[in-house]
Amino acid sequence: MAFSTYTFLCWFLPATLGVYALLPARWRNAWLALASYAFYGWWRFDYCALLLALTAFNFLCGRRIARGAARRRKAWLQASVAGSLALLAFFKYGGMFADWLDALLSLARSDAARVVPVLDVVLPVGISFFTFQALSYTVDVYRGEAREARSFVDFAAYIALFPQLVAGPIVRYAQVEHDLLQRDHGSEKWLLGARFFVLGLAKKVLLADTFALGVPAAFGGGSPGFLDAWTGSLSYALQLYFDFSGYSDMAVGLGLGFGFRFPQNFNSPYKSISITDFWRRWHLSLSSWLRDYLYIPLGGSRRGPLRTYANLFSVMLLGGLWHGASAMFLAWGAWHGLWLALERALGERHPLQRAPRWCGLLSTHLLVLLGWVAFRSEGWGQCFEVLRALFGFGSTPSAFDLRRVPEVSLFLLPLGYLVCLFTPNTWELTLDLRPRRLVGEALACTLALLAVLTYRAVPFLYFQF
Amino acid sequence: MAEQHPDLARLLAAHAALAPGRRRLWLAGLALAWVLVLVTEGVARLLVANSLVSLPQAHVSEPGDLLRMAGLPRYDGLDFPGDKPGERPADPPHGLLLPRSQRAEVIVCGASFFAIGGAPEQQFAGQLARFSGRRVYNAARFGAGPVASLLELLDSGVLADGRPRTVVWGVVQRSWSTREMRDLIERLGPAGELLPARPSSLGEVWQDLTLASAWLDARWTGSSPLRGWLAPLAPFVPPTALDPGTRAPARLYAFRGQPMLVYTSAISSAERDLEARGGDALVEACERLERHLARLGQRLIVVTVPDKFEIYRDRLQPRPSSRRGFVEPGSFGAELTRRLGEGGIQALDLYPALHAASLLEQGGPPYWRHDTHWAPAGIEVAARTLAQTLP
């Protein structure tokens, strides 16, 4: 069930919040866990068992880590990491591994028949998010940064917490440990939560879904022309940002509605002036997760410059792979890893260091945009097709043909970039408490709801990861 | 643990500092917007429940919704075998045009109207052969527009063999605009010489911009969420949706109490006379085409097919708003035929014949109700009319 659907907005959310408010404090986590499983089961009931199994396994490992003898603790941590990653690998990368294995085996054979069966499993929605959350729990407990969960119900509520279950932000256990045990529900939390939710909904429904219309111009198949490629790529950059950050805002807002404080996931990423800066602003919960649980354990920047570059590169490569089993995600990760390492190597000697701010802004956005082309493409063929068209070498003779470009995109693309570059983000907007903000938000709320009720639903992009 | 959420803590502190009355007012404002929308939605649903074609729900705008809601098949059930998506035989590869067309006396090319019809003898070309007694070859391809189909024929070199033939080029009324004809205008020189396909240039951007208003008008419906928000008005304004087959925006009117699908591009086409479509450029392009074919020893007949909307628009319910400034029914085709005739080009406007057929309905209605194309009766009337004027 997506947030921007009639069922969620008109039935699920009011019912869940209403019952939650009526229940005494000690039942609230249980109710949240139950509602979250209902939320997940709405999509596929049988995969609730998977979620439950992952929860139970990591709860058990966490308990052993917290209470076990010193030498056994590490073994339990390893078991937890291996188990969780194995689950992720099977569902997310199993198909790819099976294909590779088959290709490898077929090298030694002459006939074309497939030896390894096609592994065709349905990817559980949000598995990348909740596996990483479960991992953060056992690692935090092992490191002593968090205490073991008080009860299984608390832990199940944490893993399945529906506001952020399927598309993040990745909330680490240490970040909500306090709120899980005890939280207050003042009207300031409700108000702030409602504002976050409304702004996020408006971003998703009014902005992201509108920009989605321009994306097929470049990625809808066929050979895009020059303008098609630019419209499609810019539209996708905006769609992805408004979609994912809108979802994150809605998650933060819903979390506040239930008394939880979630971390910030986006900080105006398209205002960044370097790729390094970009990763301090884009999908913060993932980049900080990768930093704390991957980059630093790998040695971070403490083992000499070469090792630092290699670490940066490999972390970004894995970050790309996290999005899915596809060479295009790997390419996207490698692209960002390359620039991160290069910027680190250049340091103060970076040529843009002394250039005006807009130079950094523009060049960074161009690099990010090229990354998104790979990210969005279904294969190398499409990726190169769009890239060639972007640089004016498209294979279609009518480079400036506008027939594939929806007129809405032409009007709204500049507007979208104005919003990205010059307006405050949700976290800055909600700091403004002047009455006219209320009018603006009520209007956004009305328009977004109207759009939900009358317009076709576009699924959240990050559900697929 | 508040230090783990420094930004959120700051925001919460700011909200906590707000006077309780203001806090409640703010929450109530957001809740009010919420409730208002839900009430509006409820009212809209009630209205739509009593609409003209009883739509089961108000969510109009998803591709295919319109027909699905009205419970209609894509064609009227009188389907041509082989015309359903999936059943249609694959288009012949380019080279296959040659052997059969070399024997043909008449070559028909043009929009999808000329490509459909099921078996070859049921298609327009087949019916033309039947009524005229000539050998007719069908070079129209489904999915290719009139210009693409024509250019394919010109580029193929089929016509350059010196054998005299008549080339029938059929164009649907809504395709007569400089935007649609741009590719043709670009490819023909003043003396009718066929220019090589030109790589694009910055100049085209300007051309695109000058044509943008007509284009926006034709395409605004259908793809914008703004249109979707107007869906609750469905009982009063014919709903808009994308035709599932061609993905073209369409509207659903009623004709004699039965639903009738009309392309929005055909509606906006009815507002533009020859002048508004860049008439001089169109006539000039046809003249160049005629010169090109004359140099190859071929004869050109330009056929204009009226849109279904043009034929039925005075009989649709609700009445298409007259504020839109429609030109007189049938006047566009007549005017174009007259202008082309002045330039020495043989042209045929099918409006009178098809309009008469829509009134008499001998052998069935000339157009499908749930599709933009002509039905068997329409093909027959058109082919018979053209056969009478063949030299």
Side-chain angles (χ1 to χ4, degrees):
Chain A
M1 190 180 350
F3 293 164
S4 59
T5 55
Y6 181 76
T7 325
F8 181 84
L9 292 170
C10 296
W11 297 108
F12 186 86
L13 182 59
T16 313
L17 261 179
V19 174
Y20 180 89
L22 293 176
L23 281 175
R26 63 198 162 94
W27 290 106
R28 282 178 168 170
N29 281 353
W31 171 246
L32 264 183
L34 200 69
S36 299
Y37 273 86
F39 179 84
Y40 198 67
W42 206 275
W43 167 68
R44 266 192 70 151
F45 194 72
D46 46 349
Y47 276 12
C48 284
L50 182 78
L51 191 60
L52 194 66
L54 180 82
T55 308
F57 174 67
N58 280 290
F59 181 71
L60 186 78
C61 291
R63 178 151 289 192
R64 296 289 171 185
I65 291 168
R67 299 183 186 176
R71 59 191 169 78
R72 303 288 297 278
R73 294 178 64 221
K74 188 152 190 173
W76 279 107
L77 176 69
Q78 283 161 347
S80 152
V81 172
S84 304
L85 288 183
L87 187 78
L88 189 63
F90 174 76
F91 279 104
K92 200 150 187 175
Y93 309 109
M96 184 176 70
F97 290 143
D99 291 347
W100 285 357
L101 190 63
D102 186 68
L104 204 66
L105 290 177
S106 69
L107 286 179
R109 295 152 49 90
S110 53
D111 58 337
R114 200 177 158 105
V115 196
V116 183
V118 179
L119 194 56
D120 192 13
V121 288
V122 177
L123 181 71
V125 170
I127 187 169
S128 308
F129 290 95
F130 60 70
T131 317
F132 269 36
Q133 295 206 158
L135 277 178
S136 83
Y137 167 70
T138 47
V139 176
D140 283 353
V141 170
Y142 177 78
R143 288 178 178 171
E145 285 168 17
R147 275 180 294 179
E148 67 163 314
R150 181 178 59 180
S151 71
F152 182 72
V153 169
D154 283 0
F155 186 63
Y158 157 67
I159 294 287
L161 207 54
F162 77 85
Q164 40 80 314
L165 173 65
V166 287
I170 303 168
V171 180
R172 295 190 225 163
Y173 186 72
Q175 287 171 325
V176 289
E177 185 185 9
H178 176 266
D179 289 340
L180 262 179
L181 299 178
Q182 187 187 13
R183 53 189 182 268
D184 50 17
H185 303 85
S187 63
E188 75 276 4
K189 265 191 179 172
W190 271 71
L191 176 55
L192 184 61
R195 295 182 68 192
F196 258 99
F197 188 80
V198 163
L199 288 170
L201 184 70
K203 266 160 104 172
K204 156 72 183 155
V205 177
L206 300 181
L207 295 175
D209 290 357
T210 309
F211 291 122
L213 296 171
V215 176
F219 300 99
S223 309
F226 179 74
L227 283 185
D228 296 335
W230 277 100
T231 315
S233 311
L234 293 174
S235 299
Y236 185 65
L238 290 177
Q239 186 203 357
L240 194 62
Y241 168 59
F242 285 120
D243 189 281
F244 192 19
S245 77
Y247 185 92
S248 298
D249 290 341
M250 288 161 87
V252 170
L254 286 173
L256 282 168
F258 294 102
F260 287 94
R261 291 164 298 168
F262 291 161
Q264 187 173 4
N265 213 13
F266 287 91
N267 186 13
S268 308
Y270 290 157
K271 288 179 190 166
S272 43
I273 50 169
S274 67
I275 294 292
T276 315
D277 191 23
F278 179 76
W279 282 101
R280 292 191 192 116
R281 293 163 173 271
W282 178 274
H283 204 172
L284 292 169
S285 64
L286 175 69
S287 53
S288 69
W289 197 100
L290 291 172
R291 183 193 64 209
D292 292 346
Y293 297 102
L294 203 58
Y295 179 66
I296 292 177
L298 280 173
S301 55
R302 289 159 301 170
R303 298 197 188 167
L306 278 182
R307 183 65 192 263
T308 307
Y309 309 147
N311 283 346
L312 279 170
F313 187 77
S314 48
V315 166
M316 287 317 294
L317 208 59
L318 286 170
L321 195 62
W322 174 85
H323 287 86
S326 142
M328 302 322 294
F329 290 131
L330 270 177
W332 173 78
W335 175 252
H336 277 277
L338 197 72
W339 287 102
L340 276 181
L342 201 67
E343 283 178 1
R344 176 66 68 101
L346 286 172
E348 284 295 309
R349 285 168 296 152
H350 198 293
L352 287 177
Q353 197 73 24
R354 280 172 193 78
R357 194 183 149 75
W358 62 267
C359 291
L361 209 76
L362 209 65
S363 61
T364 307
H365 195 67
L366 186 67
L367 295 181
V368 168
L369 197 69
L370 296 179
W372 289 145
V373 171
F375 193 82
R376 175 63 176 75
S377 294
E378 276 142 31
W380 289 109
Q382 189 179 41
C383 180
F384 286 128
E385 187 83 46
V386 176
L387 285 177
R388 265 170 44 198
L390 277 179
F391 291 106
F393 300 107
S395 52
T396 162
S398 54
F400 293 100
D401 193 339
L402 284 167
R403 267 172 282 191
R404 286 161 61 139
V405 176
E407 64 289 345
V408 201
S409 315
L410 291 188
F411 296 133
L412 290 185
L413 272 181
L415 191 73
Y417 272 98
L418 285 180
V419 170
C420 284
L421 291 173
F422 298 108
T423 60
N425 61 39
T426 320
W427 293 71
E428 294 154 352
L429 276 175
T430 42
L431 202 56
D432 186 347
L433 292 160
R434 281 172 296 179
R436 67 165 186 225
R437 296 270 339 134
L438 168 64
V439 179
E441 278 159 27
L443 195 69
C445 175
T446 311
L447 287 180
L449 281 174
L450 274 176
V452 166
L453 294 176
T454 56
Y455 196 53
R456 75 198 152 89
V458 178
F460 283 100
L461 293 181
Y462 259 68
F463 276 17
Q464 57 187 307
F465 301 133
Chain B
M1 286 258 193
E3 66 277 7
Q4 286 197 338
H5 309 285
D7 297 302
L8 209 52
R10 200 158 60 104
L11 286 173
L12 282 171
H15 281 73
L18 205 65
R22 289 275 297 283
R23 233 183 287 168
R24 275 195 288 275
L25 176 76
W26 205 306
L27 264 175
L30 291 179
L32 186 69
W34 199 282
V35 171
L36 271 179
V37 170
L38 294 188
V39 170
T40 314
E41 165 78 359
V43 172
R45 282 173 182 233
L46 279 178
L47 287 176
V48 169
N50 301 311
S51 79
L52 183 73
V53 281
S54 55
L55 304 177
Q57 43 178 317
H59 304 260
V60 180
S61 67
E62 199 172 329
D65 261 5
L66 199 60
L67 294 182
R68 203 189 65 230
M69 276 175 216
L72 305 177
R74 182 163 145 64
Y75 291 90
D76 304 34
L78 303 162
D79 212 348
F80 282 131
D83 273 346
K84 276 189 206 139
E87 278 181 25
R88 189 178 301 120
D91 292 319
H94 201 77
L96 286 185
L97 271 174
L98 286 164
R100 287 169 65 194
S101 56
Q102 273 167 357
R103 292 190 297 112
E105 297 161 272
V106 179
I107 295 185
V108 171
C109 73
S112 55
F113 272 67
F114 297 86
I116 64 152
E121 60 275 13
Q122 291 173 296
Q123 294 169 359
F124 178 82
Q127 296 282 4
L128 186 61
R130 179 180 147 210
F131 290 117
S132 68
R134 313 289 176 90
R135 283 197 299 273
V136 183
Y137 181 68
N138 190 1
R141 284 217 287 117
F142 193 86
V147 174
S149 163
L150 176 69
L151 286 176
E152 200 169 279
L153 182 67
L154 298 186
D155 285 333
S156 70
V158 169
L159 303 174
D161 60 0
R163 182 188 296 266
R165 300 186 201 84
T166 302
V167 175
V168 173
W169 183 39
V171 182
V172 186
Q173 182 178 342
R174 64 172 179 275
S175 297
W176 279 116
S177 73
T178 43
R179 165 139 200 120
E180 296 279 341
M181 295 288 162
R182 196 185 64 181
D183 293 344
L184 179 67
I185 292 169
E186 280 173 2
R187 289 291 307 279
L188 289 169
E193 70 275 24
L194 192 61
L195 305 172
R198 196 162 51 90
S200 60
S201 66
L202 275 171
E204 286 189 3
V205 176
W206 178 245
Q207 198 182 1
D208 277 321
L209 289 177
T210 54
L211 293 168
S213 69
W215 172 64
L216 287 185
D217 186 46
R219 292 197 46 191
W220 177 255
T221 38
S223 63
S224 158
L226 293 171
R227 289 293 312 183
W229 299 344
L230 298 178
L233 298 175
F236 315 108
V237 181
T240 301
L242 294 176
D243 173 51
T246 57
R247 302 191 61 77
R251 282 187 176 186
L252 204 55
Y253 284 92
F255 173 62
R256 294 187 189 154
Q258 294 292 318
M260 181 172 269
L261 188 89
V262 172
Y263 277 17
T264 49
S265 60
I267 301 175
S268 54
S269 159
E271 296 166 352
R272 301 200 304 277
D273 59 8
L274 188 58
E275 214 50 51
R277 297 157 184 255
D280 292 343
L282 297 178
V283 172
E284 172 73 19
C286 289
E287 285 169 0
R288 291 182 181 192
L289 175 64
E290 202 259 347
R291 273 172 231 146
H292 175 75
L293 292 176
R295 296 205 309 188
L296 298 173
Q298 314 283 353
R299 188 189 165 85
L300 172 69
I301 300 182
V302 176
V303 175
T304 301
V305 185
D307 284 305
K308 180 168 69 175
F309 183 72
E310 187 78 356
I311 298 283
Y312 285 101
R313 72 190 205 208
D314 289 339
R315 290 173 276 167
L316 294 179
Q317 288 293 330
R319 277 293 286 272
S321 169
S322 54
R323 272 183 296 133
R324 298 190 60 159
F326 293 127
V327 297
E328 189 68 21
S331 65
F332 167 76
E335 172 71 4
L336 180 69
T337 310
R338 187 184 63 76
R339 285 285 301 276
L340 290 178
E342 284 171 8
I345 299 172
Q346 190 182 347
L348 173 67
D349 174 26
L350 287 174
Y351 178 84
L354 285 167
H355 186 252
S358 77
L359 296 170
L360 299 172
E361 292 207 347
Q362 286 168 346
Y367 287 83
W368 297 117
R369 274 177 184 280
H370 310 150
D371 188 277
T372 188
H373 296 105
W374 50 22
I379 295 182
E380 199 178 313
V381 167
R384 195 185 295 129
T385 312
L386 179 62
Q388 286 160 5
T389 63
L390 273 184

